[in-house]
Amino acid sequence: MQCNLRTLFTRPPCSEAELFRKVKQCVSIFEPERLQNLKPAPEEDIQALEQMIMERYGCSIPASYKLYLQEMGQEDGGILSSMFEGWNGFKHGNMACEAKDFLMWEGLWRYIEEESPGHPPFLIFCCAALPDIGYGFLLDGAGLDELVQTYCWHFCYCHDTFAKLLFYSAYSKLLHWVLEHGKPLKYKEGTFSSGRSCIHAIAFLAYCPPEWTVTGHAPLAEFLQKLEADCELEPCWFSMDKEFCLFDTNNQPTDTDNFFARYAAFHTSSGLTFYIRYNSWNRHTIRVTLLSEDLRLTKQIIDAILQQAEIEEDSLKFTGLDWEQVPKWLTFSSW
């Protein structure tokens, strides 16, 4: 197997089948055994769910989610479901069956219609836990997998898709694996170990300047745009495009927290990936993670962030993964 990280991270899939190839490829970089645990939902349950959707809304299950059920609806190896472990109402199991059971709750739909009449059809069935945080599919045309969120029974848009969310989860597993399995390295402020003998993973929390948390996050977006230009970063296809907020039905930014807000970028020649998101429990702090073999560029990015934000004491984690542990087929080249 060959894996070019630039292709994997910066070129969006052109079909649902390619999406799942990319998801599996991302997971297999360091955890191929995770793929052995995938189990599809029973076909009869998928058909029962689709029949209910057709009868209620006159359309099919979004293609990306249907293939998710067919590939890993019974057990997804933690690719998506692990994001919700410990969340109220989450339980492992058959996603197609649980979705059908949830949609049969007529009282919920009557209440939504009373509170937000006239809104487009909205399906809360993406994953067993997503209903608890008001996430689901906006049914606005055949085959689309756009997601929408409810907040106090008002509809907000996140400019996200299920395809992006699923791959983002696989990407997060990759970062987590390197942080957990790389050996801890010594770090002093402003100094990193030298050499290109291993992949380095660096993660830390930082307190945002006040202007980064304003509605719309325009100052943060401007900072990220400048960082892209200065460091030759290319936004990843599963990034939220520097949007860290939800949008109302008039497409105006709201001050409501977006649980899945994140920004990810890729350096086209070194293979560095840069990931930043707000903490869901504290919107005044950000979590930054870099996966890199180029420590000079890594330091440049971190220095730029810390000129604006203040690092949280004792939050930095610095690890290294020796090249002997890295799959030989993994490539960091720009082509």
Side-chain angles (χ1 to χ4, degrees), residues 156-231:
C156 296
Y157 298 90
C158 53
H159 298 171
D160 204 356
T161 64
F162 179 72
K164 285 186 176 182
L165 176 62
L166 184 64
F167 189 87
Y168 154 67
S169 181
Y171 167 77
S172 299
K173 299 295 177 295
L174 186 155
L175 295 181
H176 178 77
W177 193 96
V178 176
L179 283 167
E180 289 299 314
H181 293 83
K183 61 183 179 181
L185 301 174
K186 292 183 179 181
Y187 169 79
K188 294 182 180 180
E189 186 174 356
T191 304
F192 298 90
S193 65
S194 60
R196 294 168 62 88
S197 60
C198 60
I199 296 175
H200 300 87
I202 299 172
F204 61 90
L205 299 174
Y207 299 103
C208 302
E211 59 269 22
W212 281 13
T213 62
V214 299
T215 300
H217 304 284
L220 174 60
E222 183 179 351
F223 168 80
L224 292 173
Q225 288 169 347
K226 185 176 186 305
L227 194 65
E228 287 175 0
D230 292 346
C231 300

Side-chain angles (χ1 to χ4, degrees), residues 87 122 124 129-136 148-151 153-154 156:
W87 205 276
F122 175 58
I124 312 179
L130 286 180
D132 288 346
I133 54 177
Y135 240 74
V148 67
Q149 187 170 347
T150 58
Y151 180 73
W153 302 113
H154 294 285
C156 296

